[in-house]
Amino acid sequence: MIDPALPRRRPRLGRRLLSSVRTSLFLLVAYTLTFHTPVVRGSSMLPGLQDGDRILVEPWTDLFGYERGDVCVLRYPLDPTVDYVKRVIGLPGDHVVLGGGRLWVNGELVDEPYVESIDPGAYVATVVDDGHYFVLGDNRPRSSDSREFGQVAGELMRGRVELRMWPLSRVGFLN
């Protein structure tokens, strides 16, 4: 029988702490298995992404597909152990022409307000193969992209970037 005069025992601090640690570890593992959070290196995506920005890559893009204009993380085709951040310009079947600093996709001039600076000397004309994407950096003179390494196979695409998580002064969604 319990004596009502005795104070009730509360769960020990140790139990609460252990429960909190377990929950935190579970959430951390779930987060790391679900999302990829690389750090941007270089200036190829200026002004939208800067060197040192930490971005959140959602891995479900493969289920829904990429759209023209998506910023994405991909495995560098010449060394798949390295990740690159680029913008999807051409989808499978698209006719892409880049010349004089201007871009046409399927015969239509593309407005690119995100482009930091053009590369007037670059010229490319290609039809994007099935299962591939044509990608470019926003800072064209400083970008290694499909002009250099060619079209990117779909299996090398890691996911769409929608959110900059760091630095705090620049946290927000990408255009």
Side-chain angles (χ1 to χ4, degrees), residues 76 88 102 106 118 127 143:
Y76 177 47
V88 174
R102 302 183 96 182
N106 299 326
I118 63 169
V127 175
S143 180

Side-chain angles (χ1 to χ4, degrees), residues 31-174:
Y31 177 82
T32 56
L33 290 175
T34 305
F35 294 97
H36 178 56
T37 57
V39 176
V40 174
R41 296 289 175 225
S43 61
S44 72
M45 290 301 290
L46 284 173
L49 293 173
Q50 298 178 7
D51 189 53
D53 284 357
R54 183 166 292 277
I55 54 179
L56 182 69
V57 180
E58 63 93 352
W60 303 289
T61 312
D62 288 338
L63 298 174
F64 306 108
Y66 293 90
E67 295 180 14
R68 203 174 292 108
D70 285 347
V71 176
C72 63
V73 171
L74 56 111
R75 291 182 177 96
Y76 177 47
L78 303 179
D79 181 1
T81 64
V82 176
D83 285 345
Y84 272 23
V85 180
K86 301 295 170 198
R87 188 174 299 273
V88 174
I89 299 298
L91 303 172
D94 282 349
H95 185 167
V96 177
V97 176
L98 177 68
R102 302 183 96 182
L103 174 69
W104 289 266
V105 177
N106 299 326
E108 293 186 28
L109 183 62
V110 178
D111 180 35
E112 298 183 288
Y114 45 78
V115 170
E116 168 74 3
S117 57
I118 63 169
D119 188 358
Y123 178 79
V124 175
T126 189
V127 175
V128 183
D129 296 334
D130 284 340
H132 288 74
Y133 298 91
F134 189 87
V135 298
L136 294 173
D138 291 352
N139 186 2
R140 302 280 160 79
R142 306 248 187 268
S143 180
S144 170
D145 48 40
S146 286
R147 296 172 295 168
E148 176 186 317
F149 52 72
Q151 299 175 19
V152 179
E155 59 265 12
L156 295 176
M157 303 293 275
R158 297 199 66 182
R160 181 178 28 244
V161 177
E162 301 234 353
L163 182 68
R164 181 185 312 101
M165 299 174 20
W166 190 262
L168 290 177
S169 61
R170 293 175 33 79
V171 168
F173 291 98
L174 299 181

